[in-house]
Amino acid sequence: MYPTMSGVEIESYRDRFVRHLSQTVPGRKEFVVAEARGCTVTTADGRSYLDMTSGIGVANVGHCHPRVVEAIQAQAARYAHVNVYGRFVVPEQVELVERLTGAAGAGFDMAYLTSSGAESTECAMKLARKHTGRPKFVAFERAYHGRTLGALSVSWREEWRAPFEPLLDEVMFVPYDSLTAAAAAVDDRTAAVIVEPIQGEGGIRVPSDDFLPGLRELCDATGALLIVDEVQGGMGRSGRWFAHQHTDVRPDIITMAKAVGGGLPLGAVLASAELFATFVDPPLSHLTTMGGNPVACAAGIAAFDVIADGLLDRVVEAGEYLRTGLAALCDEFAGLLVDVRGRGLWCAIELSVDANPVVARMQQLGVLVGSVLNQSGTVRIMPPLVISDAEIDTFVGVLRTVLGEVAS
Ligand SMILES: Cc1ncc(COP(=O)(O)O)c(C=O)c1O
């Protein structure tokens, strides 16, 4: 049973939250969380919401999946943390990394474990710079790779970069999905091209089939490394373990975070043993205290195994069901709902009006959706991968109601 609170307690938490937790978004907080299970988030005043955000791509196996909860409890009862990364053998790290590298395929022998997506980006950028001895990165318009200084340097939106400049100076942004532009930018000073296989914060943009293969060729021709950011797209979100696996491209480096920890803070950078050898010379060239935390790894193993037990096929099926429902709304509300795109359970709808009132109204009607950082007018739809057809019907029904209200 979730912990309900009185109205006075709720207002007190709301007030103390904004007073004591540094906020980067102004305004009144929407609700006080009490519990989350599967695809449902319940508030302290007893309201339930259908979660079509997965906590922004984290709860891929649903909130509080019983196998994940059990793994966390068992590991927490044994040990939570014993040393800084790299001195002792932590079996949970081995178990997790063998699963991740196995899913990534040939050439991925190793992982460096982190605690977040931005940290994975930093690790990948350092690895690329040190291995190639080159200074430059090529990134893409509307890209998002995190908010730390290195990651910010390769994240696109100018208004969030400008106040923190100078950032890394040798970064070139080129239009996503343009091989011509990429070809003009990638050269023998380029350490790496960093790319999302489907752009998440850019609006769930699926590139043309030849885009990633073309980038691979450019990297091969110039000696640059190809970093594929799977922080949002990994762990089955698109219907494959990794979103780049819809092509036959093999990146040099894969970054992961979000869903990899089954809801706990965890990230991973996957590459070859040869690439990672660069961090041993000199020793300690890269370091983290909490990366690969054993409890997070235990949760990650359980989450991985839930997905491995047939969930990828279900993501493809549920994704098609979802997009069929959305396509029908496109016909019904032509001119208002102007685009539906995505892959697996990673979708976006594009509206011809401001998306924020639509998102807010859906929440009033019990459905959580969100916007994306680098594309206005876009509503992101990324539910837990365990969502049922009945829950998809509920979502589509509420969206139909709200679009009907907007249209009239
Ligand atoms: C593609 C991508 N890379 C990196 C990040 C940064 O991850 P984190 O917020 O864990 O630092 C995000 C976060 O949304 C992301 O979507």
Side-chain angles (χ1 to χ4, degrees):
M1 189 56 190
Y2 58 86
T4 47
M5 293 182 195
S6 68
V8 172
E9 281 175 301
I10 288 170
E11 283 315 309
S12 163
Y13 271 119
R14 218 192 266 281
D15 178 49
R16 285 150 63 204
F17 189 81
V18 291
R19 217 154 6 108
H20 299 303
L21 282 114
S22 166
Q23 300 296 306
T24 60
V25 179
R28 180 180 161 84
K29 298 301 145 192
E30 294 162 24
F31 55 70
V32 177
V33 181
E35 188 183 87
R37 291 270 184 284
C39 299
T40 304
V41 174
T42 306
T43 66
D45 58 358
R47 278 172 294 149
S48 287
Y49 292 94
L50 176 61
D51 181 9
M52 299 299 286
T53 71
S54 307
I56 317 208
V58 172
N60 279 18
V61 296
H63 297 283
C64 283
H65 192 288
R67 285 166 68 180
V68 174
V69 172
E70 195 187 327
I72 291 172
Q73 287 171 337
Q75 182 59 39
R78 276 203 302 275
Y79 65 96
H81 179 87
V82 283
N83 79 295
V84 171
Y85 193 94
R87 243 185 99 194
F88 309 145
V89 172
V90 178
E92 295 71 32
Q93 294 179 342
V94 178
E95 290 292 336
L96 178 73
V97 165
E98 284 180 352
R99 283 165 171 79
L100 297 178
T101 52
F108 291 95
D109 323 301
M110 282 192 175
Y112 190 91
L113 297 175
T114 70
S115 306
S116 72
E119 225 189 299
S120 292
T121 304
E122 298 291 337
C123 173
M125 291 174 74
K126 280 180 68 180
L127 193 57
R129 267 208 166 169
K130 186 151 183 314
H131 185 77
T132 61
R134 298 174 177 187
K136 177 175 154 184
F137 291 96
V138 173
F140 293 91
E141 292 177 5
R142 298 192 192 286
Y144 185 72
H145 301 289
R147 285 281 200 243
T148 51
L149 285 176
L152 189 61
S153 301
V154 290
S155 294
W156 171 72
R157 203 159 141 185
E158 173 67 14
E159 80 182 85
W160 286 320
R161 278 187 299 121
F164 301 99
E165 284 173 345
L167 297 169
L168 292 181
D169 58 1
E170 293 209 42
V171 176
M172 276 185 79
F173 288 98
V174 297
Y176 191 65
D177 207 16
S178 168
L179 282 175
T180 316
V186 181
D187 57 23
D188 61 8
R189 290 178 56 75
T190 307
V193 174
I194 180 164
V195 66
E196 295 160 82
I198 292 175
Q199 274 193 334
E201 299 307 323
I204 325 297
R205 282 176 196 284
V206 183
S208 320
D209 290 344
D210 63 351
F211 182 54
L212 287 183
L215 292 182
R216 177 73 275 174
E217 276 175 31
L218 287 175
C219 288
D220 289 343
T222 54
L225 300 181
L226 181 62
I227 302 173
V228 170
D229 181 335
E230 294 275 5
V231 167
Q232 196 165 136
M235 290 296 276
R237 174 56 58 192
S238 72
R240 303 269 166 94
W241 277 111
F242 296 99
H244 73 267
Q245 290 176 331
H246 294 277
T247 71
D248 58 9
V249 165
R250 194 176 71 75
D252 298 295
I253 303 176
I254 298 172
T255 57
M256 302 183 75
K258 287 192 184 278
V260 78
L264 297 195
L266 185 65
V269 179
L270 313 183
S272 65
E274 184 209 340
L275 267 182
F276 274 123
T278 195
F279 274 169
V280 188
D281 172 27
L284 306 179
S285 286
H286 198 63
L287 209 56
T288 162
T289 297
M290 295 302 284
N293 171 268
V295 182
C297 285
I301 293 164
F304 185 100
D305 290 348
V306 169
I307 297 170
D309 284 349
L311 201 50
L312 292 177
D313 288 343
R314 169 64 195 155
V315 172
V316 173
E317 184 190 282
E320 277 165 15
Y321 187 68
L322 172 63
R323 269 187 299 283
T324 304
L326 293 173
L329 293 186
C330 253
D331 295 339
E332 203 174 326
F333 297 101
L336 175 57
L337 182 50
V338 291
D339 193 20
V340 172
R341 47 177 190 265
R343 207 161 239 169
L345 284 169
W346 198 15
C347 298
I349 55 172
E350 195 82 36
L351 301 170
S352 57
V353 296
D354 182 6
N356 290 321
V358 172
V359 170
R361 180 67 182 136
M362 290 194 70
Q363 186 162 326
Q364 280 177 347
L365 298 179
V367 173
L368 300 177
V369 284
S371 51
V372 294
L373 286 172
N374 293 339
Q375 174 74 60
S376 61
T378 300
V379 179
R380 174 187 3 223
I381 303 156
M382 48 190 317
L385 309 182
V386 293
I387 192 168
S388 67
D389 286 355
E391 286 168 321
I392 293 175
D393 290 343
T394 301
F395 161 71
V396 172
V398 169
L399 182 58
R400 173 176 288 112
T401 303
V402 174
L403 292 177
E405 289 174 3
V406 173
S408 64

